[in-house]
Amino acid sequence: MIPVILSGGSGTRLWPLSRDAFPKQFLALVGSESMLQATWHRVAPLASGAPIVVAGETHRFMVAEQLREAGCADATILLEPLARNTAPAIAAAALEATRDGADPLLLVLPSDHVIADADAFRAAVRAASAAAEAGSLVTFGIVPTGPETGYGYIKAAAGEGVRAVERFVEKPDAATAAAYVASGDYAWNSGMFLFRASAYLAELERHQPAMLAACREALAQARRDVDFVRLDATTFAVSPSDSIDYAVMEKTAHAAVLAIDVGWNDVGSWAALWQVAEQDGDGNAHHG
């Protein structure tokens, strides 16, 4: 199992603390580590090798230095010359992971999420591994804590554990979200995935062949130095820009979901940061 950590976000939602030149994944918003470092430490016990980290060219030195500080000096850092959303980023990582003929499970994670119960999260990943090894593209749904309108929702088929996905739903209005939560059939879409590298690439070939071709050529023409793998700008720019949800997960017949309750928060606003921060008796949270 190889972690693929997506660190290309621009961090605009926590402006001015988080900004384009210094987005939130590089900030120590919860605890003493940056969110990128915490993401690596959370999944390091699961990893059979160093992670693949996908980042923007402008953040390359911050990524490398923070990983070094976290004791992860041998990560493969794939540099995107321009943003093309998550589907091409994951495609480049999957192609890199299979370059030597291997076909690992890829645990795909954003670098800027908070997970309070790391042990429970690792247990969930292990529980989902068998389905991923068998060819499913597993996404981790979050058991809703309320009718949140800021997240997409996933409806799972009846049953327990890893289940087939019946439908993905865009961010609903409040009444619809409340109905989803009351039904017990829906989970929040977390943007975390587990699948074989070859399974993802096969579905991309089926549903987005132009994207896969562009990513394959960008990696083939990549410049490699001691610290970075620099995707070729001209060929990577040809790739359509799309999320993994739209490009693959909503189209594939192999989508599965495991609903988890691990204290997840994507820290997408100042209100969300307050929720995960330590508060005093008056409900105030401060840092510094």
Side-chain angles (χ1 to χ4, degrees):
M1 186 181 297
I2 301 297
V4 174
I5 302 175
L6 304 177
S7 187
S10 58
T12 55
R13 291 186 293 174
L14 285 180
W15 186 89
L17 183 63
S18 173
R19 53 203 183 277
D20 189 52
F22 205 85
K24 68 175 179 174
Q25 62 265 32
F26 302 115
L27 298 170
L29 296 178
V30 180
S32 58
E33 293 184 309
S34 75
M35 302 186 83
L36 171 63
Q37 292 170 327
T39 301
W40 164 241
H41 282 146
R42 185 181 306 130
V43 299
L46 298 168
S48 58
I52 298 172
V53 181
V54 186
E57 177 84 22
T58 56
H59 300 144
R60 63 191 184 279
F61 294 122
M62 281 189 289
V63 170
E65 179 60 20
Q66 290 204 356
L67 290 173
R68 187 195 63 78
E69 290 175 353
C72 182
D74 54 351
T76 298
I77 302 176
L78 277 178
L79 296 181
E80 297 176 294
L82 70 168
R84 275 295 177 261
N85 214 316
T86 54
I90 297 166
L95 290 165
E96 177 69 16
T98 56
R99 202 165 62 95
D100 61 357
D103 187 16
L105 291 181
L106 301 181
L107 177 59
V108 180
L109 304 167
S111 59
D112 56 357
H113 290 181
V114 169
I115 292 179
D117 193 339
D119 287 338
F121 176 69
R122 288 189 287 268
V125 173
R126 293 186 184 101
S129 294
E133 287 169 352
S136 291
L137 278 63
V138 181
T139 183
F140 295 94
I142 305 300
V143 176
T145 57
E148 175 62 56
T149 59
Y151 299 135
Y153 284 71
I154 303 168
K155 185 180 183 185
E160 299 293 332
V162 180
R163 294 179 275 168
V165 171
E166 289 195 351
R167 61 189 292 233
F168 288 87
V169 184
E170 285 301 295
K171 299 172 183 177
D173 59 32
T176 304
Y180 288 166
V181 174
S183 74
D185 297 330
Y186 290 81
W188 292 337
N189 190 348
S190 71
M192 302 186 292
F193 305 91
L194 181 68
F195 40 67
R196 278 210 180 278
S198 61
Y200 178 71
L201 294 173
E203 290 305 295
L204 205 61
E205 179 76 75
R206 184 171 291 113
H207 300 292
Q208 289 283 348
M211 180 183 293
L212 179 59
C215 292
R216 184 173 278 129
E217 192 61 25
L219 189 67
Q221 297 188 34
R223 291 185 293 118
R224 296 174 182 268
D225 55 37
V226 175
D227 297 312
F228 308 111
V229 179
R230 304 167 189 265
L231 296 171
D232 179 69
T234 302
T235 48
F236 194 64
V238 174
S239 171
S241 178
D242 209 351
S243 71
I244 181 177
D245 291 316
Y246 284 139
V248 174
M249 296 302 291
E250 294 187 10
K251 297 180 174 69
T252 179
H254 304 292
V257 60
L258 177 61
I260 59 175
D261 185 3
V262 295
W264 174 88
N265 192 306
D266 71 346
V267 199
S269 66
W270 287 103
L273 178 58
W274 175 82
Q275 289 173 354
V276 298
E278 184 177 342
Q279 301 165 16
D280 63 20
D282 297 312
N284 297 315
H286 66 272
H287 184 77

